[in-house]
């Protein structure tokens, strides 16, 4: 459906009216059309057009405003999700580094004690593995959170698009009904 503002449609109708006025005629007939009747029709359309088209234009502006608001909200939500994911990943990285530093320090301390060297090596390996698992769990949680936020955003956008589509259908039906009642 092509969206044309009311002033453009009025301009076209006035041009049509002017063309009828300037057309060569033989009596009241211009190429098989009754000039007076055509002129009266155009005047009637011009007289009845503004309220219906103004309503349609308001509906379109409101739809555009709603879509713009939804897009802004979506961008904000996505930015927040990215920031939250970045923060969680950064926190997980810091925690993993701290765990690794503690593990390395513990390993060095234990190495100095020759009789418990094997025990120290085993414990350091367990600490490292635990740190890796925890970091992986935190990363996975951040990914799941971002996916959930994006899924919720997708649902909200689908609702807005459904509202816009329903508005367009109602407006289109209304306009068809108005055109049908004038015939």
């Amino acid at each position: 459906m092509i969206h044309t503002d009311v002033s453009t449609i009025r301009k076209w109708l006035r041009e049509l009216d002017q063309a009828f006025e300037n057309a060569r005629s033989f009596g009241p007939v211009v190429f098989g059309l009754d000039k007076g009747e055509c002129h009266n029709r155009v005047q009637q359309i011009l007289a009845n057009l503004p309220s219906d088209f103004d309503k349609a234009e308001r509906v379109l502006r409101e739809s555009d405003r709603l879509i713009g608001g939804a897009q802004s909200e979506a961008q904000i939500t996505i930015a927040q999700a990215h920031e939250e994911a970045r923060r969680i990943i950064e926190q997980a990285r810091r925690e993993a580094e701290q765990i690794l530093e503690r593990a390395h320090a513990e390993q060095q301390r234990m190495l100095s004690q020759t009789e418990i060297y094997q025990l120290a090596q085993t414990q350091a390996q367990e600490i490292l593995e635990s740190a890796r698992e925890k970091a992986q769990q935190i990363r996975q949680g951040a990914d799941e959170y971002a996916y959930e936020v994006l899924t919720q955003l997708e649902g909200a956008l689908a609702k807005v698009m459904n509202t816009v589509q329903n508005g367009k259908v109602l407006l289109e039906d209304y306009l068809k009904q108005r055109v049908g009642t004038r015939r």
Side-chain angles (χ1 to χ4, degrees), residues 58-95:
R58 282 193 301 275
V59 168
L60 289 174
R61 277 196 307 268
E62 181 63 15
S63 295
D64 290 344
R65 187 189 66 76
L66 287 173
I67 290 171
Q71 287 173 338
S72 295
E73 256 185 68
Q75 290 172 346
I76 289 169
T77 303
I78 289 170
Q80 289 172 342
H82 282 286
E83 181 58 29
E84 181 67 12
R86 187 204 58 74
R87 188 191 61 75
I88 290 171
I89 290 170
E90 181 59 28
Q91 180 182 353
R93 188 191 59 75
R94 282 193 306 270
E95 287 179 13

Side-chain angles (χ1 to χ4, degrees), residues 82-131:
H82 282 286
E83 181 58 29
E84 181 67 12
R86 187 204 58 74
R87 188 191 61 75
I88 290 171
I89 290 170
E90 181 59 28
Q91 180 182 353
R93 188 191 59 75
R94 282 193 306 270
E95 287 179 13
E97 286 175 0
Q98 290 172 351
I99 291 170
L100 288 173
E101 286 175 11
R102 286 194 304 264
H104 184 68
E106 182 66 17
Q107 183 183 30
Q108 292 301 323
R109 186 188 66 75
M110 294 179 122
L111 279 175
S112 65
Q113 302 173 4
T114 56
E115 54 216 44
I116 56 170
Y117 175 76
Q118 281 296 354
L119 178 62
Q121 200 169 27
T122 302
Q123 286 179 347
Q125 196 61 32
E126 288 173 1
I127 291 171
L128 285 173
E129 189 59 39
S130 174

Side-chain angles (χ1 to χ4, degrees), residues 12-30:
W12 292 340
L13 287 172
R14 285 189 181 100
E15 288 172 357
L16 177 62
D17 189 40
Q18 189 63 40
F20 280 121
E21 286 294 318
N22 295 336
R24 292 187 181 185
S25 62
F26 184 71
V29 178
V30 178

Side-chain angles (χ1 to χ4, degrees), residues 120-152:
Q121 200 169 27
T122 302
Q123 286 179 347
Q125 196 61 32
E126 288 173 1
I127 291 171
L128 285 173
E129 189 59 39
S130 174
R132 287 185 188 114
E133 287 175 13
K134 186 172 182 180
Q136 178 60 30
Q137 289 171 351
I138 291 172
R139 271 189 236 106
Q140 183 177 352
D143 289 344
E144 290 170 359
Y145 174 77
Y147 183 80
E148 181 180 314
V149 167
L150 290 173
T151 300
Q152 290 172 357

